[in-house]
Structures are given as structure tokens and as C-alpha cells.
Amino acid sequence: MSIEYLPHTADIRMRLEASSLPELFQEGLLGMSGILKEKFCEREKELSLQIPINISATDPGCLMVDFLSEVLSVSYTEKAIFCRMELTALSETNISAKIYGAPYSELDEEIKAVTYHEAEVKKNTSDLWESLILFDI
Amino acid sequence: MKIQKEHINKIKDYLWEIPTSFRPQYMNVPARILASETLLDEIMEDRSLAQLVNVASLPGIQGASMVMPDVHEGYGFPIGGVAATSYPKGAISPGGIGYDINCGVRLLLSSLNRETVQESLGVLSRELYNHIPSGMGKGGSILLSSRKMHEVLRNGAEWAVSQGYAKAEDLRFIESNGKLEMADPRLVSERAKQRGKDQLGTIGSGNHFVEVDYIDEIYNTNIATAYGLECGQVVLLIHTGSRGLGHQVATDHIKIIMGAMEKYGINVPDRELACVPFDSEEGQNYFRAMCAAANFAWCNRELISWEARTAWAKVFGSEVDDLHLMYDVAHNIAKLEEHSVEGKSSLMIVHRKGATRAFGPGFPELPEKYLKAGQPVIIPGSMGTCSYVLAGTARSMEITFGSCCHGAGRRLSRTAAKKQVNAPVLKEELRSRGIYVEAGSFKGIAEEAPVAYKDINEVVETVHASGIATKVAKLKPMVVVKG
């Protein structure tokens, strides 16, 4: 399991690696929360907010973008950061889950959007699931 | 194939071209770069030009895909680009506008000079910081009901005037008079409205700011006089956009448009170039929602002006009728405009993503006192350096679809900037140069440090020398308020 933030001229590129697809999506959630507020999910033990999410997309890359995009929108409307999820169903084109989060008072970084630019979810040569996501900052 | 210098032809001074033969399988038009050779070499360090070549594949693109000298790598479209497509069948692409719809700048003029305000700068910086909500995830003091949100999305800056937040005279000095008539609030999702309901009058984060500057140098006295600019005069610069509302409009519609492309037989080399014919249902729905978000942004900058005017009156006295709007321009937007390619004039959909409209003298929309001078073009520099006022020219209509650069242009990633810059030291250094910085975090200061940006002087010299805009005045900062 790894979350890595890679340099980009104006924005933030995130690289995820996990041993399974469910872990990869959980990492995506954590990785995005780390941009919104560093170490928020390490500090916040009381995840009082629960929101159901159900997303369908044409391929796994789009599914990851649409999932994170949905979580981001909910974060802004609920003024909360989401750290954990319970999966109900996950395929390469659909995700149903309940996400758990806690309110924030201020963010470190405002993410404008999760972009589709070169977004992908694939198995790499080490037989791990990998994803690359670019956030517009 | 990586773009090398040998793939780029020099057409004339400051204008370079990657011909369609570079990627004949999908380039519909050449890709053109407006830059000095020094800036071109810098531009080649990231993937801006590969992205520019991709833009040349848009259906119905006219003339050339273009980038300005401040271009940098984006996602899909490069930041600092212009793409004009044929009306009504050519492509409309939300990525060609960006997520921050109608991000833009406005300049307000005071009657005070640099010496008069010197003693008050500390107080002024704190009052501006207290009056203008900045920072990440923070809302403002105005909470819009559903009805009022609809009015803002429909009427833009006019709404601020109708509610007593602004003077009616402001409207004449805003691009499109601060209101795009094709806006349809019904095409803006409830979620976007929800995100925007407490965001009017807020700056947000990233490179957005409010600055108090003074006019350091005048280059063109006639135009400066027409614009009301004098050496030593104190001015206020605002840079922000449509906040979360605009970001959500773009997110919602990119997804819809991506799903519709197959129906129209469109393939693009990058998903963020997703597009549909302008006259399609999806194209019209996006364009009308984008117009509504643009109206929200103009109203936002009007509300920030109200907050700044309130802070100003608190410091300098309410009897001072000050901070008159000089001009407000968008640099992330799509507009329907008449342009000429190979001598043939027609209506086009002009996408500007990190590019400023720069129309020349005689443009009918301009306020009467700017008619001879041309449209003001406001180019904000990086924190602590300088900004510029330029004037649009007829030449810009010939080579850049009436467009100009929009800023200095980033050259370092945020990560690299944070590694290189000690923010508390930078804040002190700026203070020793007489610049007060009020920011929500040191992280924000480091990310926006001057070292992270190209040399704005080189960028502005390029657009001036190429003739697409004329230098009018140079602004130097005294107070910077940012998120």
C-alpha cells in the first residue's frame, strides 16, 4: 500500500499502489483527504458523518475519478473530510459504499476538481493495482 | 514523439509554429506559440506543447491552436491557451475553459497616492484581511437563498448593484458588462448551487489574492490618461473566480459530455479535451451553465470590491468616495465572437483558458472613454513582484483571436516551491521591501513565492513587442492578502 504525491507544474498528481482494488479505492480516499488537510485522518478518531455513495463509470480509471469527485463534492457541501469507507459492492465499473468522515474547520488546500487527465487504474508489473490521478488545485 | 526544437518553425519574431505534418493523423490546424526564444526554451521544459498539439485536434478548430508566453502544463488543455472553433457545429469543450469558470481580475483606482497611504499600510492590510474572507474551505457572510442564487446566476454583477453592494457605473467597466445573457440557472446543478451559496465575496485559495499596489511606471501616457492611471497612484487588484460553484458546473458537465462524445463520433487524445458540437443539446446545456457560473464570478468580484471598499472607508474615512472600477476581465471563459481566418470573417466559439481578451480600439462594448485606447488588459504578476496594465490592439485580432497572456505563468510545482522557499523568511524579506503579506498559512506563501513563476517582465515584453497588446503601466505591490 502506498500513496505518493508527484510534482506537476501547477497541480498535484497522486500515485496509488495497493494489493487489491478495494484497497486502492480506500487509498484514493485517504490520499485525497491528505491533500485537503494533512494528517486529518490520523488525528480524527470520531468519524460521525456517514454518507452512502453509488457510482457507475465506463472503465476503472473513470470510476476512480468519478468516485473521488463525488466524495470531494460531498466534502464541500457537508464541510467534512472523509477518511474511511465500507464497501457494499465494487467492480471495475461500479462502486457502492458508505463513506465516513468528520467536519473540518479549515482546509490546507482547496482542490478545484479531480481530473480525467491521464487517469488510470491498472495492474502493474509487480502485480499490484496502481492508479494515477491529477487534482486541479 | 517528444516535441523538439526542430519540429518548431519560426514564422516571424515572437511567433512559432508546429505544422500539421507533425501529427497529420489528428492535427486539424497548426499549433502556434507566441513567445520570445528564451520563453520558448522554458516552455519546452514541461508538456505544454504536447497538450497544445492535442488541442489542434478539436473538431471545427479554426486557424491554429494557440498558446501565450505565460503558458504552462495543465491537464488536457495547457494553461495559457486559446482555441477558436466554428459556430455552430464546432466543438465546445469545458476543459478549454477550466474548472474555475471566469477566473479573472479587476483593477480599482483610488484617489490616494503612495506617500499618503504609507503609514496606514499595516492597518489597511489587516482590515482587508478581516473584511474579505480568504482561505481554504471558508464561507463568506452572505448566504444566498435559492431565489437569490437564481438571480445571481441570471444577472451577474447587476445583482450586486440591485442589492446596494455596488455602483451602477461599475457595470460599464466589466467585460460583457458583468452578465452573459445566455445564462440559464436551471442548468446549474443543485449541488453546484449548494457549494456556492455561502461563497459570494470570498477569494478562495491557490493563486487568488487581493493586492494593494501603486503605479510605478507609465509607458503610454495617452492610454494611461484614458484609463485614469497616474504615476504613484494607489490601486487595488482582485484575482479570483466562480469558486466551488464553477468547479462543480465544470465537473458535472465534463462527465455528461464525455458520455455523449461517442454519439457524435468524437475521439480526443486526452479525456480532459472532452467536447461535443456547440449546437448539440449537451453543448448548449454546458454553455448556458458556464454563462451562469461566469455571472456568479462577476458578482463575486463585485462583492469582494464592496468588502474592500468597506475596509478602505474604515481606514481612510467614509467621506472618500474611492476605489472606482477601472476594468474587470475574465481569463477562463468561452465567448461567441466574430473573427477572421485567411480573410474570411465568421462567428466562432473562442475558448480562453488562462488567456485574457485583448480587443483593440473601437470595440463597441467598451465604455466610451476607452474606445480610442482599446480594452484594458490586466496582467497580475506573482506575489511580491509586479503587475501590468496593457491595452488591447487590432493586431491581437489578426494573430491571437483577440487574446493576450494572463499572468506570469508557473514554472515550479507547488512541491518544488515549498522545498525551495522558507515562507517566514520570504514574508520578512517582502516586509523589508515594504510589502505587507496577510495569508492564511505559510504554506500558501511558499507555494506562491516569486521563484515559482516565470519572469513577468519577459512575458509582458513579449506580448508588447509582438504587438498583441501595448504596455500602459507597471504596478508594484504594497499589500498582498491571500488564502
Side-chain angles (χ1 to χ4, degrees):
Chain A
M1 294 263 295
S2 70
I3 301 168
E4 201 183 349
Y5 301 111
L6 309 171
H8 180 274
T9 313
D11 301 306
I12 295 177
R13 194 188 292 272
M14 178 174 80
R15 186 175 166 273
L16 310 168
E17 210 177 54
S19 54
S20 69
L21 203 55
E23 270 183 31
L24 194 75
F25 276 80
Q26 172 62 52
E27 269 190 358
L29 193 68
L30 266 181
M32 188 167 74
S33 71
I35 299 170
L36 291 169
K37 199 156 185 77
E38 209 181 336
K39 296 189 174 150
F40 180 88
C41 293
E42 285 174 37
R43 283 193 303 266
E44 207 59 50
K45 303 295 173 208
E46 187 81 21
L47 302 175
S48 54
L49 251 92
Q50 298 177 32
I51 307 275
I53 281 197
N54 192 339
I55 305 285
S56 293
T58 50
D59 60 68
C62 279
L63 187 67
M64 178 64 90
V65 173
D66 291 349
F67 166 69
L68 293 178
S69 208
E70 177 72 12
V71 175
L72 185 67
S73 299
V74 175
S75 284
Y76 289 132
T77 52
E78 298 293 327
K79 302 208 184 304
I81 295 175
F82 293 89
C83 303
R84 197 169 64 78
M85 67 174 178
E86 264 173 28
L87 275 175
T88 319
L90 177 65
S91 69
E92 295 198 356
T93 55
N94 177 266
I95 182 166
S96 290
K98 196 179 272 181
I99 54 169
Y100 293 84
Y104 63 77
S105 54
E106 199 171 357
L107 300 172
D108 290 344
E109 201 79 74
E110 226 175 45
I111 298 173
K112 284 180 188 154
V114 187
T115 78
Y116 293 101
H117 177 57
E118 297 173 345
E120 57 178 9
V121 166
K122 61 173 187 189
K123 274 248 177 136
N124 64 19
T125 48
S126 315
D127 206 30
L128 293 169
W129 284 95
E130 187 183 306
S131 183
L132 207 60
I133 299 291
L134 184 82
F135 296 96
D136 181 8
I137 300 296
Chain B
M1 183 172 29
K2 192 173 175 344
I3 298 166
Q4 306 288 345
K5 203 78 176 272
E6 63 260 28
H7 298 126
I8 306 173
N9 303 326
K10 184 173 183 175
I11 298 187
K12 57 180 87 164
D13 284 349
Y14 304 103
L15 194 60
W16 311 80
E17 182 178 277
I18 303 168
T20 49
S21 56
F22 177 69
R23 287 269 164 80
Q25 67 276 29
Y26 69 76
M27 281 177 80
N28 293 324
V29 290
R32 287 188 174 168
I33 309 126
L34 190 99
S36 63
E37 189 148 13
T38 313
L39 285 172
L40 178 66
D41 289 341
E42 256 188 60
I43 289 166
M44 292 186 69
E45 286 171 18
D46 68 16
R47 295 191 297 167
S48 307
L49 297 187
Q51 295 181 338
L52 175 68
V53 164
N54 286 343
V55 174
S57 72
L58 283 182
I61 188 163
Q62 301 291 295
S65 62
M66 293 219 62
V67 286
M68 302 294 116
D70 55 333
V71 66
H72 65 75
E73 180 182 345
Y75 41 87
F77 284 75
I79 314 294
V82 181
T85 56
S86 58
Y87 174 87
K89 300 273 176 212
I92 176 92
S93 174
I97 290 109
Y99 287 92
D100 196 0
I101 295 166
N102 190 3
C103 183
V105 278
R106 61 165 47 191
L107 189 71
L108 301 155
L109 309 182
S110 88
S111 59
L112 305 174
N113 63 40
R114 188 185 171 194
E115 286 73 31
T116 322
V117 302
Q118 204 66 47
E119 294 297 310
S120 314
L121 288 180
V123 182
L124 180 62
S125 66
R126 281 190 297 279
E127 287 298 338
L128 286 170
Y129 189 72
N130 291 337
H131 278 79
I132 305 168
S134 59
M136 276 64 95
K138 279 186 179 171
S141 58
I142 297 164
L143 192 64
L144 293 175
S145 64
S146 170
R147 184 178 58 82
K148 286 188 173 175
M149 172 60 86
H150 188 96
E151 289 169 8
V152 170
L153 295 173
R154 185 76 199 86
N155 299 319
E158 251 179 47
W159 184 84
V161 174
S162 73
Q163 303 295 305
Y165 292 114
K167 302 165 190 169
E169 67 171 38
D170 282 4
L171 302 179
R172 285 189 297 134
F173 297 95
I174 307 176
E175 177 175 335
S176 300
N177 302 120
K179 176 182 178 178
L180 295 179
E181 292 290 348
M182 286 184 76
D184 187 344
R186 294 169 302 177
L187 297 166
V188 174
S189 68
E190 281 311 310
R191 178 173 274 174
K193 290 169 182 164
Q194 178 76 10
R195 283 180 66 176
K197 73 177 183 186
D198 66 348
Q199 290 187 323
L200 268 191
T202 66
I203 312 176
S205 60
N207 59 355
H208 295 160
F209 63 77
V210 170
E211 249 184 36
V212 179
D213 297 338
Y214 69 91
I215 296 177
D216 180 52
E217 204 172 342
I218 298 276
Y219 303 100
N220 186 314
T221 312
N222 287 341
I223 301 180
T225 305
Y227 290 171
L229 306 174
E230 287 173 25
C231 220
Q233 182 182 15
V234 176
V235 297
L236 190 114
L237 190 60
I238 297 169
H239 176 208
T240 192
S242 51
R243 311 286 288 109
L245 180 135
H247 310 164
Q248 191 66 45
V249 165
T251 300
D252 293 340
H253 286 266
I254 287 173
K255 191 172 179 185
I256 294 167
I257 285 175
M258 263 178 50
M261 282 200 303
E262 196 180 347
K263 182 165 75 177
Y264 300 107
I266 297 174
N267 275 307
V268 285
D270 187 312
R271 284 170 173 155
E272 286 287 328
L273 297 178
C275 59
V276 284
F278 181 76
D279 63 356
S280 66
E281 185 187 349
E282 296 85 357
Q284 283 297 292
N285 286 353
Y286 166 67
F287 186 68
R288 289 171 186 276
M290 183 221 73
C291 290
N295 287 349
F296 186 86
W298 273 312
C299 192
N300 187 31
R301 290 198 286 275
E302 199 63 69
L303 264 293
I304 293 170
S305 304
W306 168 69
E307 290 160 347
R309 284 166 173 152
T310 309
W312 201 265
K314 201 165 172 191
V315 177
F316 300 111
S318 53
E319 66 281 3
V320 183
D321 175 28
D322 232 346
L323 298 183
H324 296 275
L325 181 57
M326 185 205 79
Y327 207 63
D328 179 311
V329 274
H331 52 229
N332 279 4
I333 204 160
K335 305 285 278 291
L336 289 178
E337 295 168 0
E338 190 92 18
H339 288 281
S340 183
V341 170
E342 290 168 4
K344 200 176 153 203
S345 183
S346 61
L347 198 58
M348 296 180 191
I349 306 132
V350 182
H351 301 68
R352 294 192 179 93
K353 185 182 196 179
T356 313
R357 194 184 72 175
F359 285 0
F363 175 52
E365 184 196 287
L366 289 175
E368 202 183 331
K369 65 180 193 168
Y370 298 168
L371 266 178
K372 275 189 190 162
Q375 179 214 302
V377 177
I378 307 159
I379 309 298
S382 54
M383 182 177 66
T385 55
C386 58
S387 299
Y388 283 88
V389 175
L390 294 91
T393 63
R395 184 97 180 102
S396 76
M397 302 304 274
E398 290 163 22
I399 53 176
T400 53
F401 297 98
S403 315
C404 183
C405 62
H406 84 307
R410 274 197 92 92
R411 51 177 284 272
L412 283 187
S413 71
R414 291 165 201 277
T415 321
K418 277 185 281 188
K419 272 186 194 157
Q420 285 190 25
V421 177
N422 181 325
V425 171
L426 174 63
K427 190 176 177 184
E428 270 313 299
E429 188 202 312
L430 291 170
R431 178 68 197 86
S432 70
R433 284 167 42 206
I435 304 166
Y436 289 76
V437 179
E438 294 283 350
S441 68
F442 280 124
K443 185 174 143 296
I445 295 176
E447 287 183 359
E448 294 303 314
V451 70
Y453 285 83
K454 292 178 193 176
D455 178 2
I456 187 159
N457 300 305
E458 176 86 17
V459 169
V460 167
E461 283 308 326
T462 297
V463 297
H464 176 79
S466 68
I468 61 164
T470 303
K471 276 197 304 179
V472 179
K474 184 198 235 177
L475 279 45
K476 284 207 169 161
M478 294 190 288
V479 171
V480 182
V481 176
K482 62 183 308 314

